[in-house]
Amino acid sequence: MLSIEQIRNETDTVRAALVRRAEDEDCLDDILTLDTRRRVAITEGDELRARRNQVSREIGQARSQGDQPADDIIAEMREVGQRISGLEDEVRDLDSRINDAMMALPNLPDASVPDGTDETANLVLRHWSEPTKLDFEAQPHWDIAERLGIIDFQRGVKLSGSRFYTLNGYGARLERAIIAWMLDLHGNEHGYTEMSLPIIVRRETMEGSGNLPLFADNLYHDEEDDLWLIPTAEVPVTNLHRDEILDAGQLPMYYVAHTPCFRREKAAAGRDTRGIKRVHQFNKVEMYKFVEPDTSFDELESLLGNAETVCQRLNLPYRILQLCAGDISFPSAKSYDVEVWAAGSQEWLEVSSCSNCTDFQARRANIRYRPGVGERPRFVHTLNGSGLALPRVIIAILENNQQPDGSVVIPEALRPYTGFDVIPAA
RNA sequence: GGAGAGGUGGCCGAGUGGUUGAAGGCGCCGGUCUCGAAAACCGGUAUACCCCUCUGGGGUAUCGCGGGUUCGAAUCCCGCUCUCUCCGCCA
């Protein structure tokens, strides 16, 4: 959520930034109109309340001295009370309309974010290593995995429907190893605190992270208790410190968590239907930072570095994309994507998206910190990045490390965790 | 799921209709004292919003949340929510 002060005082800046995101900025005028009406109503209500407080105090004092208050004063105050109620209704209505409009506004792109309205305008910043070249006919992961018997698509569908699968034997063990290895890497070498979190959360939690009310379409929902399955660990982590005022000394705070992620993928129906590139349930290791505002853009660079380290240690060729203004996610002010090369399906796979959400989520979830003793609380900045998403890492390992005999070699870094060096050809 | 108890400021804890945004204590910050520290003493110590003749002044709201009664509610009534205890159930 943006700040109403910024919309009020820097309207043109906000308008220009929204245009860069290819967002409709007409609502700004509506918000400003509602905001003016709101403040008029608040002022009038406050004045009436001040009058009522004063008179009530006088009535109390008179009564304590045995005097009876005049009936006409009581009658007048009764009427003042009704006017106050009316103004309160009006303010409540205006608040909710302003809030609805504000909730629909995305974060503003940072000045360093390139122009562009969609993914075609994203910039390739750099490559690491060369896309894997195999001197035999490379197979896509769905063929490799089925042949090795480590992914069962049919039975996944039998259990849960399309876009579900099971990992079997070496496949399941490989996934478990990758998760444990990533958590250890970020926990031991990058300074993140490991968390195990609820993956089913209340409505308020989804609102705090910005997934509701706008993106309900992509979420699984339990109607009976109004609980929601998380699409990413970003949701519970963001809300860990909701409605808190942190000490400056506590920042920065780094968290890493492995969770299953659930996505209905309504908007992507029909896309990427083969294999495990786009599924309804997947595992992900997520990195998350709460930081002081002045440091957040530096923190974004180191966050990206942490994601890159994962790819490097796995020896997966990757490239870094800087997302353009029209392609950064709703709460983000600046984002980088990490894409690894998959030699079988011959495409770049997004395995991580690292974003600086500045104070956008913090404002929504009311996460503040006190810069110094006696100073006013300020909103923290939040950042998140996958570190990494499991299915696509598995795809890349299977496709890049496949051997002519049909086996798949495990990256060295993972071997202490898998306990095997190769998935043997069946 | 059943029964009961309870949610007050950073923490503990008073407070059942009228100068209570909230006693008292602890903690924290500043000061006095001291070579320094401790102790003691003095002072300060929530958040959000609004207005103005705006390096300052004034006002409003907030005692889990939302309604209601009343001139006036932390205090009374209703609904919700969360926590705790006991019973039941269960990994």
Side-chain angles (χ1 to χ4, degrees):
Chain A
M1 165 133 58
L2 304 176
S3 85
I4 186 71
E5 289 82 13
Q6 187 182 19
I7 292 175
R8 232 182 257 156
N9 302 328
E10 305 167 30
T11 313
D12 292 339
T13 309
V14 174
R15 196 184 302 277
L18 289 177
V19 167
R20 284 226 302 148
R21 286 196 66 135
E23 281 287 325
D24 179 25
E25 27 67 61
D26 292 344
C27 62
L28 288 183
D29 297 319
D30 298 338
I31 290 173
L32 287 172
T33 304
L34 293 169
D35 178 53
T36 303
R37 287 174 52 192
R38 173 179 175 274
R39 285 190 286 163
V40 168
I42 284 177
T43 302
E44 193 181 340
D46 281 358
E47 283 165 358
L48 286 174
R49 264 187 293 266
R51 162 117 178 99
R52 183 177 69 179
N53 287 345
Q54 193 201 331
V55 171
S56 294
R57 215 173 290 133
E58 285 165 10
I59 291 174
Q61 280 168 351
R63 196 155 264 173
S64 69
Q65 290 165 7
D67 297 338
Q68 282 302 311
D71 288 345
D72 58 333
I73 297 285
I74 300 277
E76 185 203 336
M77 283 307 106
R78 192 172 293 139
E79 201 234 324
V80 165
Q82 280 162 5
R83 284 168 64 198
I84 290 172
S85 292
L87 286 164
E88 282 173 345
D89 290 343
E90 186 181 341
V91 170
R92 197 174 307 123
D93 175 60
L94 289 166
D95 272 339
S96 104
R97 288 165 67 187
I98 291 168
N99 191 54
D100 288 351
M102 299 278 286
M103 289 286 249
L105 288 176
N107 202 355
L108 307 179
D110 183 63
S112 65
V113 171
D115 285 333
T117 56
D118 58 43
E119 63 194 22
T120 59
N122 293 341
L123 302 177
V124 177
L125 290 187
R126 59 178 179 272
H127 285 254
W128 183 86
S129 191
E130 294 295 315
T132 311
K133 287 201 177 61
L134 301 173
D135 52 12
F136 55 93
E137 194 177 347
Q139 297 189 329
H141 69 278
W142 51 85
D143 287 339
I144 301 170
E146 284 212 299
R147 200 186 60 246
L148 295 176
I150 60 175
I151 299 180
D152 189 332
F153 295 101
Q154 288 180 0
R155 290 201 173 88
V157 171
K158 177 160 78 178
L159 296 181
S160 304
S162 67
R163 292 192 195 271
F164 285 92
Y165 61 99
T166 69
L167 285 173
N168 307 342
Y170 284 108
R173 293 168 67 191
L174 173 62
E175 181 182 57
R176 174 162 55 85
I178 297 172
I179 292 167
W181 171 74
M182 286 177 178
L183 288 170
D184 282 350
L185 173 63
H186 296 309
N188 297 333
E189 295 187 37
H190 299 154
Y192 291 77
T193 301
E194 181 176 337
M195 302 290 290
S196 178
L197 298 163
I199 58 175
I200 177 167
V201 300
R202 320 162 54 131
R203 172 178 294 272
E204 299 91 295
T205 303
M206 280 297 178
E207 287 170 347
S209 53
N211 297 79
L212 287 177
L214 241 46
F215 304 105
D217 272 5
N218 203 31
L219 300 172
Y220 288 100
H221 178 212
D222 165 53
E223 297 268 352
E224 199 168 357
D225 295 318
D226 197 22
L227 291 171
W228 302 71
L229 289 173
I230 60 169
T232 162
E234 180 190 336
V235 172
V237 179
T238 300
N239 283 275
L240 280 176
H241 298 294
R242 189 174 67 201
D243 295 322
E244 290 184 19
I245 299 175
L246 305 166
D247 292 328
Q250 292 176 265
L251 301 175
M253 300 169 99
Y254 294 0
Y255 291 108
V256 64
H258 154 246
T259 67
C261 301
F262 302 90
R263 300 188 183 179
R264 295 180 70 206
E265 298 291 357
K266 278 282 198 199
R271 281 177 61 190
D272 307 316
T273 49
R274 295 204 77 178
I276 58 172
K277 178 179 169 188
R278 191 180 298 277
V279 290
H280 290 312
Q281 176 186 336
F282 62 96
N283 286 296
K284 182 159 61 68
V285 170
E286 181 78 0
M287 303 176 287
Y288 199 97
K289 297 180 172 185
F290 297 88
V291 308
E292 294 193 54
D294 292 348
T295 66
S296 65
F297 285 96
D298 288 338
E299 293 280 4
L300 176 62
E301 299 301 320
S302 66
L303 180 73
L304 174 63
N306 296 150
E308 291 189 59
T309 298
V310 177
C311 300
Q312 290 171 11
R313 299 275 178 95
L314 293 176
N315 203 28
L316 298 175
Y318 66 86
R319 63 179 191 180
I320 302 300
L321 261 51
Q322 168 152 34
L323 302 192
C324 72
D327 201 35
I328 56 177
S329 65
F330 188 75
S332 173
K334 182 175 186 175
S335 296
Y336 298 110
D337 277 3
V338 181
E339 295 187 339
V340 299
W341 177 251
S345 36
Q346 291 283 306
E347 62 175 339
W348 294 99
L349 299 175
E350 178 191 328
V351 289
S352 180
S353 190
C354 296
S355 298
N356 181 2
C357 296
T358 61
D359 60 359
F360 186 85
Q361 286 179 326
R363 181 169 277 111
R364 219 176 247 248
N366 193 29
I367 308 164
R368 293 170 292 172
Y369 78 106
R370 199 180 298 282
V373 175
E375 292 186 54
R376 288 191 70 199
R378 293 184 65 188
F379 289 108
V380 302
H381 280 194
T382 61
L383 300 93
N384 65 80
S386 329
L388 308 164
L390 266 294
R392 293 178 184 179
V393 170
I394 292 173
I395 292 173
I397 290 174
L398 295 179
E399 295 192 3
N400 292 343
N401 294 11
Q402 58 184 307
Q403 304 298 307
D405 68 357
S407 66
V408 171
V409 173
I410 301 299
E412 256 177 72
L414 288 176
R415 292 177 193 172
Y417 288 81
T418 53
F420 52 87
D421 297 354
V422 62
I423 301 176

